[in-house]
Amino acid sequence: MADQHLYYIFLILLFPLSLLLFLYVVVRPRPVKIPIKDRHVFITGGSSGIGLSLAHLAASEGARVSILARSRNKLEEAREGVRLATGKEVAIFAADVRDFEAVKKAVEEAGPVDVLIVNQGVFVPQELEKQELDEVRFMLDVNLMGSFNMIKAALPAMKEARKERGPASIALMSSQAGQVGIYGYSAYSASKFGLRGLAEALQQEVIADNIHVSLIFPPDTDTPGLEEENKRRPPLTSIIAASSGAMKADDVAKKTLNGIKSASFIVPCNFEGLLLSIATAGLSPQRSFLMAYIEVVAAGILRIAALCFQWNWYGSIEKWHAQSTIS
C-alpha cells in the first residue's frame, strides 16, 4: 500500500518537475547581472518624477549619472538636489527627445553609456473622438519616436564599449496602459504598446552585443505629470483605472533599478502589475525559468480573471452611458 502511495506521489510530481526541467533548458536569454557601481547611467526625463528618483538612486549606488530633459532650470535644480543628497555630481543635458540631432549631440558629449533608461513620457487623457490630432502626435512623438531617437543615438557607442565595460542595459519606461488598453487612453496606450514591440525586437538585435533590454510597467505614479493628468481625465477613466493604485516615484525607481540589475525583460512594479505581466507574457523573452513556470501554470487562471475585469469595465461603461442618457 505504501509503495502504491509513493507511486501516485511520483506521478503527481512528475509533470511539474518535467516542466521545470524543460523550461530550464529552453528559457532564453540566459540570466545575467548588470552592475551599476562605476557605470555610466544616462536617464531621460531625469529632472523630475521617476527619472529624478532614478538619478538619486543610481548616484547613491556609485554610478556616474547623466540626465536629460527639456528644461535647463529643472535640470539645474535636479543636479543640485542629487549633489546635496548623495554627494555625487550629475551631468545635465537640455534637449528635446523629438530632436534626434540634439539628443545625439548630448549622448556624444556624455560619453559611452552603460545603462540607458529611456524614461521620458507625456500623457493627455481624452476620448479619441474629442482629442486633437496634434495631442495624439505629441504623445506618439515623445513617448515612441523619442525612444527610437535616444536608442539610435546611444547604441553605436554602447556596442563598441562592451568588450571593455561588460554587460549593458537599455530600459524603456512603459506603463500598465502599455499592457492593457483603458478608456480615454487611446493615444497614450498606442505609444506605450509600441514600446513593447520595440523592446522585443531590439533585444534580439542587441543580445549578441551583450546589451540587455528591460521594459518597465509602472501604474499611476505620484508625479507632477499625474497631477496634470487628473485635471483632464474623463470620469470613466478614473472609474476603470481605480483598480490599480498609485505608487510613489521612489518606489517605482527601486523596482526599476532592481529589474535592470537582474536584466529582467518585463519589470512590473506592484502586485497588479505582476499579474498583468503574467497574463500578457505572450512571446516576450523570460530569463527566469521559475517565472516562466509561473507564467505557464497561471496563464489559464489569469485569462479567466482578465475576462472578469473586462466584464466589470464594460459594465461600468454601459452603466455610465445609461445614466448620461437619462440625465
Side-chain angles (χ1 to χ4, degrees):
M1 193 69 174
D3 289 343
Q4 190 176 21
H5 286 159
L6 288 174
Y7 175 72
Y8 287 136
I9 292 172
F10 173 75
L11 287 179
I12 291 170
L13 293 177
L14 180 61
F15 175 73
L17 290 175
S18 299
L19 179 59
L20 276 170
L21 179 60
F22 171 75
L23 293 172
Y24 177 77
V25 173
V26 303
V27 161
R28 292 291 189 278
R30 288 302 191 186
V32 67
K33 295 296 182 184
I34 308 293
I36 297 298
K37 187 177 180 181
D38 298 324
R39 313 294 296 294
H40 182 198
V41 178
F42 193 105
I43 306 166
T44 69
S47 64
S48 64
I50 297 170
L52 180 55
S53 292
L54 281 165
H56 277 269
L57 193 57
S60 69
E61 294 196 14
R64 177 169 75 89
V65 178
S66 299
I67 57 175
L68 180 144
R70 284 181 293 177
S71 170
R72 179 161 292 277
N73 288 338
K74 288 184 178 180
L75 284 166
E76 294 282 2
E77 292 175 8
R79 176 167 62 182
E80 181 65 10
V82 174
R83 187 186 66 79
L84 291 174
T86 68
K88 298 281 187 177
E89 289 295 333
V90 172
I92 61 172
F93 300 93
D96 190 325
V97 294
R98 294 173 293 177
D99 184 341
F100 175 71
E101 293 301 326
V103 296
K104 182 181 179 183
K105 181 179 177 182
V107 169
E108 289 174 349
E109 185 178 339
V113 176
D114 298 302
V115 177
L116 174 64
I117 305 179
V118 186
N119 167 73
Q120 83 283 343
V122 291
F123 180 28
V124 184
Q126 195 169 34
E127 297 92 339
L128 181 58
E129 182 183 8
K130 300 176 183 177
Q131 193 154 46
E132 296 294 333
L133 284 176
D134 284 347
E135 290 182 330
V136 173
R137 193 173 293 110
F138 177 51
M139 281 183 272
L140 291 173
D141 284 348
V142 173
N143 300 348
L144 189 53
M145 280 307 303
S147 299
F148 277 97
N149 288 340
M150 285 306 312
I151 294 167
K152 191 166 178 61
L155 195 53
M158 289 183 77
K159 293 174 73 170
E160 288 178 11
R162 291 296 42 92
K163 289 183 180 179
E164 298 80 21
R165 302 170 71 91
S169 171
I170 297 174
L172 298 167
M173 190 64 66
S174 184
S175 164
Q176 286 183 2
Q179 294 171 291
V180 59
I182 298 294
Y183 184 101
Y185 285 29
S186 297
Y188 182 70
S189 283
S191 70
K192 293 298 186 177
F193 267 82
L195 291 179
R196 183 166 193 148
L198 164 59
E200 289 186 3
L202 181 66
Q203 181 59 96
Q204 294 181 21
E205 293 178 12
V206 300
I207 189 66
D209 299 293
N210 205 12
I211 299 174
H212 308 275
V213 178
S214 292
L215 192 57
I216 322 299
F217 290 112
D220 284 345
T221 305
D222 189 9
T223 64
L226 180 63
E227 187 177 332
E228 289 300 314
E229 170 198 330
N230 286 333
K231 295 176 182 178
R232 287 192 52 170
R233 241 185 191 182
L236 259 174
T237 302
S238 298
I239 292 170
I240 293 172
S243 57
S244 186
M247 289 182 68
K248 297 293 185 184
D250 288 348
D251 294 330
V252 172
K254 289 176 185 176
K255 293 284 187 180
T256 298
L257 203 60
N258 286 338
I260 290 170
K261 289 191 286 187
S262 64
S264 299
F265 181 78
I266 290 178
V267 182
C269 294
N270 60 6
F271 182 68
E272 291 85 354
L274 175 62
L275 296 180
L276 267 175
S277 296
I278 296 170
T280 61
L283 291 174
S284 294
Q286 175 56 264
R287 293 183 185 274
S288 167
F289 74 96
L290 291 174
M291 194 64 207
Y293 179 84
I294 294 172
E295 290 171 351
V296 171
V297 172
I301 297 171
L302 286 176
R303 178 55 180 159
I304 294 172
L307 291 171
C308 291
F309 272 106
Q310 292 290 344
W311 172 80
N312 181 56
W313 293 343
Y314 278 94
S316 297
I317 293 168
E318 289 173 6
K319 183 178 178 181
W320 174 268
H321 283 290
Q323 290 175 341
S324 299
T325 303
I326 294 172
S327 59

